[in-house]
Amino acid sequence: MKLTDLRGILQYIPQFREKTFIIGVDGAIVTDENFANILLDVAVLRSLNIRVVLVHGASAQIKALADGQKIKPSNLDGSGITDAETLQLALTAANRLTHEILEGLSANDLRAACSNAIIAHPLGILQGADHLFTGKVERVDTELLQTLLNQGIIPVVPPLGFDGDGKTYRVNSDGVAVAVADALKATKLIFITAQDGLRHNDQLIRQMLVAELQKLLQQNSGGFAAEMLSKAQHAVIGCAAGVQRVHIINGRVDDGLLAEVFSNEGIGTLIYANEYQQIRAAKKKDVRAIQMLTKKAVESDELVKRTRSVIEKSLGDYYIFEIDKNPVACVALHVHAEQRKGELACLYVNPSHENQGIGRKLIQFIENKARDLDLNELITLSTQAFTYFQSKGGFAEGTPDDLPPARREKYDQSGRNSKVLVKKLK
Ligand SMILES: CC(C)(COP(=O)(O)OP(=O)(O)OC[C@H]1O[C@@H](n2cnc3c(N)ncnc32)[C@H](O)[C@@H]1OP(=O)(O)O)[C@@H](O)C(=O)NCCC(=O)NCCS
């Protein structure tokens, strides 16, 4: 691991300390060879004082057991009808999986306990069909789970619900994960699946506001693969219940859980309830972030290289666009007071946040600043985004003669041959 990776992780620590993460793992992942790595990642989360609850599914194992016994299960995921035979398969499969998880957690010196915290009643008769042993989560025994968490114990929750009469019902594990996240006011709900994330019409969704996901589900739920539809629906229910972030990641990717939690880009799909966005003046501590953000654009000659001291000298000119306190874009306004011109510079949007209008917002922000300062004209230099400034920012192509003399001198010396773009403000 590089030191910069460690720094990247450490910046999240204060934000997550003592917060609760619910991890919903598909049964197929519990028996995957990468599961040991996931538990190692859980150990890292625990070492950072993040409270973790593990909820697991069992459909893959129910299917395997049924195939082995040549039984046709009435339903696999706890959403359809569960007949008596299928309930027996579910009990065997779920208990085995819970045991495997407990074993794996022990191997990482983590204390864990399986509980009867899911209180369920029969789902009942829907459109004439008795769903028999399929249950509906009635409530979560929050106190029981909190007691375990307060003692540093990881609750392991199987896809089974219990009623007051000692009966067990098969419940859908995605629904359980959401109910637990709601009951414990979790910060994050992370679904670990056998897919890279949510795909709609075969396009991987990297990040999406919950309202947009809801719209997709209403307009074209068929665009989601059948096995992922439940994740999409439960992500929406989770956000509606107050969980700010729902992640859907591939459990077969090494380091996937940590990469998702501790990086801006993540590896799978992030559904977010709302976002805290703002443009703010850069501070001294942002100099590194500006350099890190723009590193790739400097390498590909889109932006000119700026040393730490160059940025520090004109730090007052820089602005940061942040989402949830993470810098995802930057821009600067250098003022050439004598000529009443402002230069928009160092506009950069992190590729993971491209095409969301952030670049346009930053151009508009700089334009407003320039107007506030009563400048006559905004100029910018670009090697590869000049059509962007023209079509999205209302700039027109100018010439190097539009640059103030001192700037012109630097331009000629640089040999970058950038295009000059101009926007009249008066
Ligand atoms: C150019 C850049 C700032 C755009 O940011 P962004 O937040 O993705 O842009 P927006 O969301 O506001 O706009 C997206 C639109 O611009 C278009 N666009 C993006 N980059 C473009 C480019 N280099 N040239 C032309 N159009 C471009 C997109 O295709 C999209 O078009 P659409 O709305 O018609 O689909 C960003 O890609 C970037 O940081 N590039 C590298 C650095 C750079 O060149 N900076 C400018 C020099 S100061």
Side-chain angles (χ1 to χ4, degrees), residues 302 347-349 354-357 359-360 384-385 387-388 392:
E302 287 167 299
L347 174 66
Y348 184 76
V349 179
E354 267 177 3
N355 295 322
Q356 297 174 22
R360 262 170 289 194
Q384 290 162 48
T387 56
Y388 173 76
K392 313 291 176 200

Side-chain angles (χ1 to χ4, degrees), residues 15-195:
Q15 198 178 327
F16 292 152
R17 193 178 293 133
E18 296 301 333
K19 296 288 189 304
T20 305
F21 289 7
I22 311 301
I23 301 181
V25 196
D26 280 356
I29 296 301
V30 177
T31 47
D32 190 90
E33 58 182 25
N34 193 48
F35 189 61
N37 290 325
I38 293 176
L39 293 182
L40 211 55
D41 290 359
V42 170
V44 174
L45 298 181
R46 284 295 305 126
S47 73
L48 301 173
N49 277 335
I50 294 167
R51 296 152 73 96
V52 177
V53 179
L54 274 174
V55 176
H56 69 85
S59 28
Q61 284 70 22
I62 296 175
K63 185 171 182 317
L65 279 179
D67 288 350
Q69 298 177 23
K70 304 213 170 3
I71 296 172
K72 195 173 172 335
S74 56
N75 168 257
L76 289 176
D77 69 358
S79 61
I81 296 168
T82 305
D83 59 18
E85 230 174 8
T86 307
L87 178 67
Q88 284 313 310
L89 293 178
L91 284 170
T92 308
N95 287 329
R96 249 188 226 175
L97 286 173
T98 301
H99 187 78
E100 274 193 46
I101 294 173
L102 292 174
E103 267 180 356
L105 291 169
S106 296
N108 285 292
D109 289 334
L110 292 169
R111 297 161 77 209
C114 172
S115 73
N116 58 353
I118 303 301
I119 297 67
H121 58 227
L123 186 59
I125 301 161
L126 301 180
Q127 283 151 4
D130 189 342
H131 280 59
L132 301 169
F133 295 102
T134 299
K136 185 172 184 320
V137 179
E138 188 178 307
R139 68 183 176 87
V140 174
D141 187 341
T142 312
E143 199 189 325
L144 168 56
L145 295 180
Q146 292 290 19
T147 306
L148 294 174
L149 290 167
N150 289 343
Q151 297 299 319
I153 297 169
I154 299 177
V156 178
V157 185
L160 301 170
F162 303 82
D163 75 359
D165 299 329
K167 286 204 192 78
T168 305
Y169 294 94
R170 165 85 170 113
V171 285
N172 173 266
S173 63
D174 296 341
V176 171
V178 168
V180 172
D182 182 11
L184 296 179
K185 308 268 169 286
T187 307
K188 276 186 192 298
L189 167 58
I190 304 166
F191 286 119
I192 305 189
T193 72
Q195 309 285 328

Side-chain angles (χ1 to χ4, degrees), residues 290-291 298 303-308 310-311 318 334 343 345-346:
I290 295 171
Q291 283 188 307
V298 171
L303 291 182
V304 69
K305 188 171 167 59
R306 291 166 173 87
T307 63
R308 190 179 175 92
V310 164
I311 299 175
Y318 285 82
H334 304 307
E343 178 183 347
C346 201

